[in-house]
Amino acid sequence: MTRLRRSVSRTATSIARGVAPDGRPQPAAPAPPATTGPARPTGPHRVVAGRPTVSVEAPHSPFAPLDLDVAAAVSPRLADVLAPEWRQHPFDRHGWRAMLEGTAPDLVLVEHCAGAVAGWIGAVDELVLALAAARGTGARIALWVTDRVAPPTELLVAADVVGGVDEAAVSAIEGAGTAAQLWPAAAQPRRSGLARDDETTTRRGGALLVVDGFGRLTDDTALREVARAVAPLTPSQAALVRLSGKSATVTLPPTLAERQVAHGPWDAEAGVIADARVVVDLGDGAPGSAWTTVAAATARTPVVGLTSLASAAPPEIEALVPRVEDEKSLRSEVVARIHQEELGSREGLLLQRAVLQGHTAAHRARAITQAVLPDRAPPLTMPTVSAVVPTNRTHELDNVFTNLGRQRHEAVELVLVLHGLDTDDDDLRRRAQHAGVEHLTLVHADADLTLGACMNLGVDAASGQYVAKMDDDNIYGPGYLGDLLAAFAYTDAGIVGKWAHYVWLRSSGAVVLRYPDSEHRYERRIQGGSMLFAGDVVRDIRFSDIPRAVDSDILDRSAEAGVRIYSGDRYSYVSVRGDDRLAHTWTVSDSTFLTATGRLLFYGDPTTHVSI
């Protein structure tokens, strides 16, 4: 049991690390046959072909933090973002000597923002001495400029590598005579606020304005424009949160100031972003605005703003932020996202994907480490997934190939368990290849085996770090596997899936959204055809040798073992109910789905609607 809990903890660190520091995915290369772990199964079945088995305990796991001790002279916000990525220690003018005596850091990270270094304000000379002492212990020095004010020459000279948060910051540094890398604003998925235990995760807030100083503004023209935009909205529809920090010469217009509902440090106020329906980006006025935008994107909270206050957020994220020219248009954008939940949910999903592809704390920690300690920054690899699909219906095989072939996540193998079917395997390979399935493993199982036994055969044949249980007759959109994998970046789950989900009743054409309040929260149940397991979880617990209720059984036994189960978003998956209810493992009538826990949305093929 202890080993299982440790394995679940390992998976919870960050799936977002399956992308290289420059944002490009790096699929894991096929490994040589493992010398440990489950052997290829023998008995009343045969594995026709597959990929070499890889160990989920392989070195340089994509989920492990960097094996580094890092002394950090950074703002509370940046400290909170980076803390899970390595062993982080504070480095300030009062405690740096004791820190160096107790720990020999591999790296000292210094953040220069708004003309100062947190914990060293007015003490640049002493900071330079402290950095020299750290270098004497073998540490390397990285300087991250998160504003557009160039640091003092002494700091630039003391650093081994310097990075700027945007192109303007890089230009300022290079204008001072020092080469600089681009390290844009990033976010920590585990701080996003998406993983909840609430009774409902429906967003309760309206619009939110996050104020963290206006160090770059010379007048309040743009702020007054924002104030006029939200003036017709009630304070509850457009609230304001002020973050504590350096004061600015520009103050809030009264219309905005009277909407303030909270004031405090970033770590105390950031959680409200996940509860808002939209964040109004106050943009280029403050050094921290880009970080707020990226944090909102990580929490799947839509962002809107004025072109006159354009943010310095990474371009992939900024491209998804609607920006308008005047207060009337801004109000329209805000109102649309307050009232149209579907609009906000779809935009939020795209924003989060952009963050996880290249703008998480893991990406920045790797980029900084790669610049000064390249041998201590193993490359980020794309997690491998094995999709296990048991079937005894030849007419659904092309649907299986289509579902797997359109997945955006590249490191996928299909483990097709042919339950009592006599098939032309060469023909299956050709059809799979034509549909875009790159890696296919065929397992032939005797007809008298139970569904649970068939699943175990598939698990034994699976080579992936993660194992998905997928059905042969459902619809899986292109983002299905990638989005479920992403949930491991911000949860403590060992199993993720969908309890909020669409059902297509083919007999009438009705599309029902079931359990809509069960998105982004821990649950005891998820749909059986939507389960994605951490590989060591399913290999330890395994399916029971039973013909039915295999899904609820493994979920119950997993929960008893301390494994958390998480329900993600409602998209990219449709449970399809055909005209013949007896053709399903769960033989219930269509009226079972038309209850108070579901919403009848529309009639017709839902594939386009769910495929974001």
Side-chain angles (χ1 to χ4, degrees):
M1 191 70 69
T2 300
R3 179 166 66 91
L4 178 58
R5 288 198 175 99
R6 282 201 303 267
S7 71
V8 174
S9 177
R10 282 196 303 275
T11 68
T13 305
S14 179
I15 193 75
R17 299 172 191 172
V19 184
D22 62 2
R24 295 195 300 268
Q26 294 189 352
T35 57
T36 61
R40 286 291 184 180
T42 59
H45 68 281
R46 54 192 173 91
V47 179
V48 177
R51 295 161 62 198
T53 300
V54 296
S55 170
V56 295
E57 301 287 345
H60 309 310
S61 164
F63 309 107
L66 291 171
D67 183 20
L68 293 175
D69 284 287
V70 177
V74 300
S75 64
R77 180 189 297 215
L78 189 53
D80 185 61
V81 166
L82 291 175
E85 305 306 324
W86 42 39
R87 295 182 298 275
Q88 187 163 288
H89 313 273
F91 192 76
D92 57 45
R93 63 185 304 189
H94 302 296
W96 67 270
R97 289 183 176 85
M99 187 267 155
L100 291 181
E101 290 175 1
T103 304
D106 302 291
L107 170 69
V108 179
L109 176 63
V110 179
E111 178 190 14
H112 188 269
C113 183
V117 175
W120 297 89
I121 296 175
V124 173
D125 291 342
E126 185 179 353
L127 173 57
V128 171
L129 290 174
L131 294 177
R135 187 185 298 280
T137 69
R140 305 303 298 274
I141 314 298
L143 175 61
W144 193 351
V145 181
T146 58
D147 194 14
R148 296 167 187 175
V149 179
T153 302
E154 307 95 291
L155 276 185
L156 293 173
V157 171
D160 295 299
V161 63
V162 182
V165 75
D166 57 23
E167 295 291 353
V170 170
S171 296
I173 297 164
E174 293 182 338
T178 299
Q181 299 186 10
L182 178 62
W183 298 336
Q188 177 55 253
R190 295 192 65 79
R191 303 286 194 264
S192 66
L194 278 179
R196 307 275 284 273
D197 288 295
D198 299 12
E199 291 184 2
T200 175
T201 51
T202 300
R203 294 179 186 259
R204 293 173 288 278
L208 182 71
L209 299 91
V210 181
V211 179
D212 48 11
F214 299 112
R216 296 176 187 156
L217 292 183
T218 56
D219 63 65
D220 65 352
T221 301
L223 292 179
R224 287 189 280 108
E225 200 167 8
V226 173
R228 290 192 296 270
V230 301
L233 305 177
T234 65
S236 63
Q237 288 179 311
L240 183 144
V241 171
R242 182 189 288 270
L243 304 179
S244 54
K246 189 174 180 180
S247 60
T249 56
V250 174
T251 59
L252 285 172
T255 308
L256 293 182
E258 66 189 16
R259 295 171 179 270
Q260 182 172 312
V261 295
H263 178 267
W266 167 254
D267 58 355
E269 306 300 343
V272 299
I273 289 178
D275 214 25
R277 290 185 179 270
V278 58
V279 165
V280 179
D281 178 23
L282 299 182
D284 204 34
S289 61
W291 298 83
T292 298
T293 297
V294 180
T298 310
R300 296 193 178 201
T301 302
V303 182
V304 300
L306 292 169
T307 53
S308 58
L309 286 174
S311 172
E316 299 89 343
I317 297 170
E318 184 63 18
L320 298 171
V321 176
R323 295 200 176 274
V324 294
E325 299 288 341
D326 57 77
E327 64 263 24
K328 183 177 179 181
S329 299
L330 180 61
R331 185 185 312 128
S332 296
E333 298 291 344
V334 170
V335 169
R337 286 156 185 83
I338 290 176
H339 295 291
Q340 301 301 325
E341 187 269 343
E342 183 71 23
L343 172 64
S345 293
R346 298 173 86 87
E347 286 186 355
L349 173 53
L350 295 176
L351 284 164
Q352 188 199 53
R353 284 179 184 164
V355 173
L356 296 180
Q357 280 295 308
H359 301 292
T360 68
H363 292 98
R364 297 300 172 266
R366 286 301 202 287
I368 293 167
T369 305
Q370 181 67 34
V372 290
L373 296 166
D375 59 328
R376 304 291 296 278
L380 299 171
T381 57
M382 182 179 293
T384 55
V385 183
S386 295
V388 177
V389 183
T391 183
N392 58 6
R393 299 181 288 194
T394 55
H395 65 277
E396 296 289 4
L397 291 175
D398 285 325
N399 184 60
V400 174
F401 298 147
T402 298
N403 280 327
L404 269 297
R406 64 182 165 210
Q407 294 303 305
R408 295 191 190 101
H409 188 79
E410 297 176 2
V412 177
E413 73 166 338
L414 168 59
V415 180
L416 189 60
V417 183
L418 300 162
H419 190 190
L421 296 182
D422 183 14
T423 58
D424 181 340
D425 294 338
D426 289 337
D427 177 62
L428 292 183
R429 294 184 198 292
R430 285 191 296 269
R431 289 156 63 184
Q433 187 73 26
H434 180 73
V437 177
E438 297 291 333
H439 304 286
L440 173 65
T441 296
L442 298 176
V443 178
H444 284 269
D446 285 355
D448 59 356
L449 293 180
T450 67
L451 177 57
C454 289
M455 279 303 305
N456 285 333
L457 296 180
V459 171
D460 290 338
S463 67
Q465 294 164 294
Y466 292 84
V467 176
K469 178 183 180 294
M470 298 172 66
D471 290 342
D472 59 1
D473 57 348
N474 290 338
I475 297 170
Y476 297 88
Y480 172 75
L481 286 174
D483 290 342
L484 281 188
L485 278 168
F488 287 100
Y490 50 85
T491 71
D492 296 316
I495 308 171
V496 301
K498 296 176 185 290
W499 195 225
H501 66 282
Y502 295 95
V503 178
W504 187 15
L505 305 176
R506 295 290 296 271
S507 59
S508 64
V511 177
V512 179
L513 175 60
R514 302 192 77 204
Y515 309 113
D517 290 336
S518 290
E519 289 186 290
H520 311 302
R521 57 182 282 191
Y522 294 103
E523 292 278 5
R524 286 193 63 87
R525 285 283 180 270
I526 50 177
Q527 272 286 288
S530 74
M531 296 191 294
L532 179 64
F533 298 85
D536 41 3
V537 170
V538 73
R539 290 179 175 106
D540 275 344
I541 294 179
R542 301 180 65 80
F543 288 84
S544 294
D545 188 0
I546 53 179
R548 291 182 177 83
V550 295
D551 306 324
S552 57
D553 173 79
I554 196 170
L555 292 175
D556 288 341
R557 290 186 294 109
S558 297
E560 290 170 2
V563 178
R564 302 201 78 182
I565 301 161
Y566 184 75
S567 172
D569 65 56
R570 62 187 180 268
Y571 297 112
S572 298
Y573 170 78
V574 181
S575 177
V576 180
R577 301 291 297 185
D579 294 332
D580 182 5
R581 67 181 180 89
L582 296 179
H584 296 276
T585 305
W586 188 30
T587 56
V588 296
S589 65
D590 286 357
S591 61
T592 303
F593 303 95
L594 301 173
T595 65
T597 59
R599 301 174 190 161
L600 175 54
L601 300 181
F602 56 86
Y603 287 80
D605 189 335
T607 304
T608 300
H609 178 79
V610 305
S611 298
I612 300 176

